[in-house]
């Protein structure tokens, strides 16, 4: 992950784009890329989209990841640590015995 | 990254949630989490949000990453490879000499 | 409003697009158009965007409204009634004396 | 529509919220409400969501409309005129004979 982050940061620095990157606009960008990802599924079943838009979906997933790494750099967040912490919180909200095989929200379990 | 992905997939499997996870709904979830991330910046400057909502932002970033990994698992995408490929494409759309210090879109350079 | 809705529905029917319009995909479309609206504000202050992207913003606002009307038609929702009902609910969550001049969420008032 | 807009603006003014309402944050809010609308369709078929989340969907549609009206007020946009203009543009991009019964984008027709 650290290697990947460095590559992304390097790409940004080579273009001197860091000066535009405040966290709020990066969060907006991340939303826009997530929207472009979703656009590939519009008016289609999940299977249909997966088959016909495979390459486009992969590219948009990459774009979301790029903005995620830029945001983590900006905010000095270790992404792996953040995921581990969040999974621990989720494990408390969704204990295995209560949530097994259910798609209900934690407050509806 | 592979370790992190395994932890996320394991969390999903322990709860038997894989059966709900079609790519279209995962893409929707990723959008909703990206929205929750952005919510922390609403009515605030970037600095203000970063200071007062630090922990919440970190948690939402983690949620976005979790759905990204679930989606990659579902679609059999290697996230690191996807980012490297996308950066190569971006490097062609945004050559260093043309895009240095500019925030214009590639078609406006 | 009824006249406007009829114009939008007529546009749809002339192209026989009603058959694609399930509520879930219309809700996705509405999100995508909202994203395109927001894109005009990316990397800009509110004032800068308003000045330089005025026409684009107006067009995206129209797109959001078009999908809103299509969704209301699909779900048999009277949009004006829906807004009036919601404002009544909001008035209870945000009593004037408690919320005057504050941008806090109702549960933080 | 003018009556409805006045009611929404009045609600805002009674709480002195206009001072927070810059266009960029209103566009963010509109995206967040569109996301909350979409959340009701998550992990569900369109029909299932429509049946079980009818009231929630109606409320979120109202919230989107409220922000749309606030944004139009802020930017001095006549929403009805904007929709009529956009439909004229769309009619040129999607001529009836070329787009009848097709869900392709205009550049793929």
């Amino acid at each position: 992950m650290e290697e990947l982050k460095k590559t992304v940061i390097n790409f940004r620095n080579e273009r001197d784009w860091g000066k535009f990157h405040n966290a709020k606009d990066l969060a907006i960008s991340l939303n826009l890329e997530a929207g472009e990802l979703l656009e590939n599924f519009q008016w289609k079943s999940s299977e249909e989209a997966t088959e016909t838009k495979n390459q486009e979906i992969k590219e948009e997933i990459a774009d979301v990841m790029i903005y995620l790494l830029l945001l983590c750099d900006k905010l000095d967040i270790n992404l792996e640590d953040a995921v581990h912490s969040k999974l621990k919180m989720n494990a408390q909200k969704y204990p295995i015995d209560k949530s097994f095989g259910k798609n209900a929200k934690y407050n509806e379990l």
Side-chain angles (χ1 to χ4, degrees), chain A residues 6 63 67:
Chain A
K6 271 183 205 158
D63 277 334
Y67 277 110

Side-chain angles (χ1 to χ4, degrees), chain A residues 73-96:
Chain A
D73 182 67
K74 187 75 198 171
L75 298 175
D76 218 4
I77 288 172
N78 181 308
L79 185 50
E80 288 184 280
D81 289 354
V83 170
H84 284 300
S85 302
K86 193 56 175 32
L87 286 177
K88 270 182 207 155
M89 295 172 66
N90 288 354
Q92 292 200 308
K93 279 161 89 178
Y94 296 97
I96 294 178

Side-chain angles (χ1 to χ4, degrees), chain A residues 25-36:
Chain A
D25 279 314
L26 287 171
I28 289 178
S29 299
L30 197 148
N31 269 268
L32 301 181
E33 297 298 344
E36 291 182 17

